[in-house]
Amino acid sequence: MQMISFLNEFIKHPRSMGAVAPSSKKLARKMVDVINFNKAKTIVELGPGTGSFTKEIMKWKKKSTLLILIEINETFVRRLRKEYANDTSVHVIHGSAENIRKYLGELNLAATDYVLSGLPFTSLPSGVSRRILQNVRNSLTPRGKFITFQYSLVKKTFIQKYFPSIRAKKVWLNLPPAYVLSCNK
């Protein structure tokens, strides 16, 4: 069912989706490997879609850790809100990743420890990508990390303008294979 929903939304919104299939469990695990769940107070996920990374975060996060999901696709927002309706540590926001700072402010948060992103920077307009990356950078605590994945390293230099320190790891067991980028200010 998740695959059909994902494919339907890709057909309707190919530029904002960036993939024809949900991320694999291996990719999801690599994305959250960077997180120190014992110390994380707040985690933001940009573009959770059908929740591949969200499910992995939920396996490891403490009950007291706040998880904020920012999703632009209304179908996915409804699905996520239904799934996490009874969990007060999860906030699902229907909106754009460009407004991460605004959403944190509305929740009375100055910053977040981690931002995970499934956003397709290679297909997003460059102005949108710039605003997202600048606002993510400004939303992180001093030791915070931005974790994203991309199917190629084409946008690595672009991302490095905002996050000078990037570690890239290839995940072969994903369709297609992907790079996890762990970024520091």
Side-chain angles (χ1 to χ4, degrees):
M1 189 64 165
Q2 181 182 13
M3 179 63 165
I4 292 168
S5 175
F6 198 93
L7 190 54
N8 281 336
E9 293 307 306
F10 175 80
I11 291 166
K12 290 186 219 171
H13 313 284
R15 278 193 76 139
S16 65
M17 294 287 291
V20 296
S23 299
S24 71
K25 288 181 181 181
K26 289 283 187 189
L27 179 56
R29 183 67 197 143
K30 275 286 186 219
M31 288 285 287
V32 304
D33 272 352
V34 179
I35 299 172
N36 181 339
F37 285 101
N38 290 322
K39 293 185 178 181
K41 293 178 184 157
T42 308
I43 302 168
V44 176
E45 184 181 355
L46 306 176
T50 56
S52 297
F53 302 154
T54 311
K55 286 175 183 65
E56 196 65 29
I57 293 168
M58 293 301 287
K59 282 184 199 174
W60 300 97
K61 84 172 195 68
K62 291 176 153 185
K63 288 228 183 263
S64 61
T65 301
L66 182 63
L67 176 59
I68 302 164
L69 307 173
I70 302 172
E71 176 58 60
I72 202 164
N73 182 293
E74 191 174 334
T75 301
F76 293 150
V77 167
R78 280 194 306 268
R79 184 180 186 163
L80 291 164
R81 283 184 176 159
K82 184 178 178 183
E83 187 168 349
Y84 298 106
N86 297 321
D87 192 329
T88 58
S89 73
V90 179
H91 291 270
V92 180
I93 296 171
H94 183 202
S96 172
E98 294 173 88
N99 300 318
I100 183 175
R101 290 182 51 76
K102 173 187 157 203
Y103 305 137
L104 288 173
E106 289 170 355
L107 293 168
N108 294 316
L109 298 168
T112 183
D113 300 302
Y114 296 93
V115 175
L116 274 78
S117 170
L119 301 176
F121 289 108
T122 53
S123 64
L124 289 175
S126 61
V128 171
S129 293
R130 279 194 298 274
R131 287 188 296 276
I132 291 170
L133 291 169
Q134 184 64 50
N135 285 315
V136 166
R137 179 181 166 77
N138 292 339
S139 297
L140 288 169
T141 61
R143 293 185 182 259
K145 290 189 185 299
F146 173 56
I147 307 152
T148 188
F149 83 93
Q150 301 292 294
Y151 295 116
S152 76
L153 293 177
V154 169
K155 288 290 185 173
K156 184 180 176 204
T157 303
F158 178 75
I159 295 169
Q160 245 168 345
K161 291 176 186 173
Y162 302 90
F163 298 95
S165 174
I166 297 179
R167 282 192 352 239
K169 290 188 179 178
K170 184 100 179 213
V171 178
W172 291 99
L173 295 175
N174 191 67
L175 187 64
Y179 292 91
V180 172
L181 305 177
S182 175
C183 312
N184 298 325
K185 296 188 206 184

